[in-house]
Amino acid sequence: MKSTILITGGTGYIGSHAAVELMQAGCNVVVLDNLCNSDVRVIERLKNICGNAPQFVNGDVRDSALLDKVFALHPINAVMHFAGLKSVGESWQQAAHYLDNNVGGTACLVAAMERADVRRLVFSSSATVYGQPDTVPILETAPLRTTNPYGRSKLLCEDMLRELQAVDSRWQVALLRYFNPVGAHASGLIGENPTGVPNNLMPYIAQVASGRHPFLRVFGNDYPTIDGTGIRDYIHVVDLAQGHLAALRYLEQVEKGITVNLGTGSGVSVLQLVDAFKQATGMEIPYQIYPRRPGDVASCYAATDLALEALSWRALLPIEVMCADAWRWEQSIKNAVDHD
Ligand code: NAD
Ligand code: UD1
């Protein structure tokens, strides 16, 4: 029988890509999203990609009555929980809101799952829970520490989910620690919904290429790295989405939880990404060196052995594909903005 998966935050960037992978793998998908950072038109686009649309519920994960209704209406086997707020800068201004939405939302969801007797959960965590890492590549056993309220909210969710599994072995939770998701679906139909000026490197580079900004500010060229600029582990969002399917299969087969990094294991510097973007797209990216961005780490990339061993999953798409797909998506949203 087909399994039915509830995806919270399923009209968002990563959730929509996970919806594609799940539907293409034959699952029924129910999306719950309050559209605070996404657009309902994503549902129609998922239909264009997959041939059928997921069921859509417009609502909030903090709405217990609504969650009970969703679990009563659909034979849900597992939940993928993407719904959350994710801006580090905003989390300093709105710490209480981040706690309420991210931690309160997760608490509400697991309580509803408990009532519905559904205890299989794939959770969107982040490499941000490693804070300033002592060594790279970062193993899943590295110390956990956070440097901002957003990161703290993710760590609190992880703690809550670890606690649940410790007291009740029926809970099976995959804590997936994402590194730096970039790129977009090859169809050009779904990608990251940019509001305002992006803080993250790849969307900013793409916007420089399309002429929305005159140049890229490179935050620091005096780090102890290959060219002095910050090193990160960029992972194609489609690879990341496939990692979720692998994690779900793991929970179904092994019937116990796992905490695992989802990254490529390769570090790429800011200037290397600028160069790869130029190679992949032919676009020049003018840049200027600026001071370091407060809170940034020099180097952050994943140890990937556990993902390969336990999930039989590894990221496959190279940096050039990440750049080409980010560029295609930027062009499609710029066209849409220009024609609005
Ligand atoms: P996104 O903002 O594109 O998607 C999140 C979705 O959740 C949005 O559609 C939003 O409308 C929805 N949402 C937020 N709060 C909600 C609530 N209370 N009820 C219902 N819906 C709600 O973000 P994303 O990049 O797809 O990230 C998904 C998850 O992955 C988040 O939890 C984020 O913290 C985590 N994560 C993201 C990154 C990244 O770089 N994008 C890195 C690590 C972890
Ligand atoms: C940031 C968040 C992190 C979050 C991740 C999501 C901070 C401190 N960290 O991580 O919590 O999980 O996004 O993807 O905000 N850079 C530039 N110029 C720019 C933008 C970035 O030089 O305009 C550099 C940064 O200094 C860094 C690298 O590019 O060295 C990557 O930055 P970014 O894409 O923001 O990701 P993270 O810093 O890893």
Side-chain angles (χ1 to χ4, degrees):
M1 210 181 71
K2 270 188 166 191
S3 53
T4 300
I5 312 300
L6 172 64
I7 305 188
T8 74
T11 46
Y13 175 42
I14 305 171
S16 59
H17 288 82
V20 169
E21 296 306 318
L22 287 175
M23 287 195 287
Q24 289 182 341
C27 300
N28 290 319
V29 169
V30 179
V31 166
L32 175 100
D33 200 300
N34 68 0
L35 303 175
C36 69
N37 195 38
S38 55
D39 189 317
V40 71
R41 284 174 293 184
V42 166
I43 298 296
E44 196 53 36
R45 287 164 170 232
L46 291 175
K47 185 176 175 193
N48 290 339
I49 297 170
C50 301
N52 58 312
Q55 314 230 26
F56 177 63
V57 181
N58 183 349
D60 198 299
V61 282
R62 292 163 296 176
D63 182 342
S64 299
L66 177 68
L67 290 178
D68 285 346
K69 238 185 253 167
V70 171
F71 281 106
L73 269 175
H74 304 280
I76 290 163
N77 303 95
V79 179
M80 288 195 182
H81 180 36
F82 296 91
L85 303 173
K86 61 166 179 176
S87 160
V88 172
E90 193 181 65
S91 75
W92 284 108
Q93 265 76 54
Q94 305 178 23
H97 183 45
Y98 267 66
L99 284 171
D100 176 37
N101 199 81
N102 293 3
V103 186
T106 302
C108 246
L109 176 67
V110 295
M113 289 175 68
E114 188 76 67
R115 289 193 294 277
D117 211 9
V118 177
R119 293 183 184 79
R120 189 169 283 156
L121 175 66
V122 177
F123 176 69
S124 298
S125 190
S126 166
T128 191
V129 298
Y130 297 120
Q132 195 90 28
D134 299 328
T135 51
V136 282
I138 307 176
L139 284 162
E140 286 83 354
T141 48
L144 302 180
R145 45 173 101 101
T146 58
T147 52
N148 56 69
Y150 163 70
R152 190 84 203 132
S153 76
K154 286 284 154 189
L155 190 50
L156 285 166
C157 289
E158 281 204 2
D159 284 340
M160 181 194 325
L161 297 171
R162 268 188 285 275
E163 180 68 13
L164 266 184
Q165 295 180 94
V167 299
D168 184 346
S169 60
R170 290 175 300 173
W171 275 94
Q172 301 161 16
V173 181
L175 299 174
L176 305 185
R177 294 181 179 150
Y178 310 161
F179 279 68
N180 291 59
V182 295
H185 195 261
S187 63
L189 290 172
I190 53 172
E192 191 163 15
N193 177 34
T195 43
V197 177
N199 294 313
N200 295 125
L201 181 60
M202 182 70 101
Y204 201 97
I205 289 178
Q207 291 195 0
V208 171
S210 69
R212 297 211 229 181
H213 311 289
F215 60 88
L216 168 72
R217 294 171 301 164
V218 174
F219 297 137
N221 68 345
D222 56 352
Y223 286 108
T225 61
I226 183 171
D227 55 19
T229 66
I231 287 189
R232 295 293 183 273
D233 186 340
Y234 300 97
I235 173 170
H236 197 295
V237 65
V238 170
D239 273 332
L240 187 69
Q242 287 169 358
H244 288 70
L245 191 58
L248 181 65
R249 297 290 177 246
Y250 174 91
L251 295 181
E252 287 166 355
Q253 284 154 21
V254 182
E255 297 193 337
K256 63 176 191 185
I258 187 167
T259 299
V260 64
N261 290 336
L262 295 185
T264 64
S266 300
V268 171
S269 77
V270 175
L271 294 182
Q272 285 172 333
L273 187 63
V274 167
D275 193 50
F277 194 93
K278 184 177 163 187
Q279 297 300 324
T281 66
M283 304 302 292
E284 284 295 333
I285 308 296
Y287 66 84
Q288 292 183 15
I289 305 298
Y290 270 59
R292 291 180 179 193
R293 184 171 66 176
D296 270 356
V297 303
S299 191
C300 175
Y301 55 95
T304 55
D305 295 350
L306 179 63
L308 189 57
E309 267 164 40
L311 308 183
S312 304
W313 169 91
R314 69 188 166 90
L316 298 172
L317 297 169
I319 198 80
E320 292 73 25
V321 174
M322 302 182 210
C323 293
D325 289 346
W327 178 225
R328 185 188 303 105
W329 173 245
E330 164 61 18
Q331 287 169 291
S332 83
I333 47 183
K334 180 140 192 308
N335 279 342
V337 170
D338 290 347
H339 290 101
D340 262 357

